[in-house]
Amino acid sequence: MVKKVVYGVSAVFDFIYKLLLEYSKLVLLAIVFIVSAQVISRKFLGSSIQWSEEVARLLMVWMAFVSMAIGIQKGLHVSIELFFNKFPAPMRKVLTKVNEFVMCSCGLVMIVYGMQLINSTKTSTLSATQWPSSTLYLMIPVAGVFILYFSAIELFHLEAYIKTHFEEDEEVKVAIEQANAENTKEEGQL
């Protein structure tokens, strides 16, 4: 029963995460398009698009928070291993667990305080678009949820319950399996 619940939660998070990856691609294209349109408008038409800077900034902030969650999932955040590698293996395990716990805590803080920030800024508006100021902060709790989720997977060793490997389609999986089979076959012949 517990496995089914964990698999179900994992499937939901996998689906939402894939949507966020596609969203990130679209946001990046939108930022490039908006900034390019602003430059062209200012340079060649002599006027600027009033909302462009504000919307580009908003999308950049959203992209930064989504990127944090993606970085946690992929293990891409910067780490200094100079001293870490000098510790004995049991100490490294403890420090790794402490790091994972701290990351879970950061995700939780982002959820709680991100929601508070959204609530406290929902009555004010952005100057150019007149959107609620809270839209600038919408991705903080979203990123916090994913940071908490991915950190908890690492902390509690729940990798086996993740149904899919993100961004890998069937063709890539088949090609990897074939390459591994060929390497094993070649090693056996040597």
Side-chain angles (χ1 to χ4, degrees), residues 8-142:
V9 169
S10 175
V12 169
F13 272 92
D14 288 356
F15 177 75
I16 296 170
Y17 180 75
K18 287 178 182 177
L19 287 177
L20 281 177
L21 286 175
E22 294 305 315
Y23 160 82
S24 298
K25 294 173 189 176
L26 292 174
V27 166
L28 188 58
L29 285 173
I31 291 169
V32 169
F33 177 75
I34 290 168
V35 171
S36 298
Q38 169 66 1
V39 169
I40 291 168
S41 176
R42 191 177 327 145
K43 186 79 171 171
F44 298 110
L45 302 176
S47 66
S48 63
I49 305 170
Q50 293 180 356
W51 53 266
S52 65
E53 184 181 340
E54 192 170 276
V55 172
R57 182 176 40 243
L58 178 122
L59 293 175
M60 193 70 82
V61 168
W62 284 6
M63 186 74 173
F65 284 105
V66 170
S67 297
M68 276 193 273
I70 293 169
I72 293 291
Q73 190 270 329
K74 295 184 178 294
L76 296 175
H77 288 283
V78 175
S79 62
I80 301 172
E81 297 180 354
L82 177 69
F83 297 113
F84 180 79
N85 290 334
K86 293 185 183 210
F87 289 124
M91 182 68 161
R92 285 193 299 239
K93 279 186 173 184
V94 169
L95 290 174
T96 299
K97 288 296 173 197
V98 167
N99 181 50
E100 292 163 356
F101 178 76
V102 168
M103 292 310 299
C104 282
S105 301
C106 287
L108 191 58
V109 166
M110 287 175 68
I111 294 167
V112 171
Y113 288 102
M115 292 303 294
Q116 288 179 3
L117 187 59
I118 289 170
N119 284 332
S120 67
T121 58
K122 66 183 174 189
T123 56
S124 62
T125 58
L126 299 173
S127 60
T129 59
Q130 297 302 308
W131 294 343
S133 295
S134 58
T135 56
L136 189 61
Y137 309 110
L138 282 176
M139 283 300 156
I140 296 174
V142 172

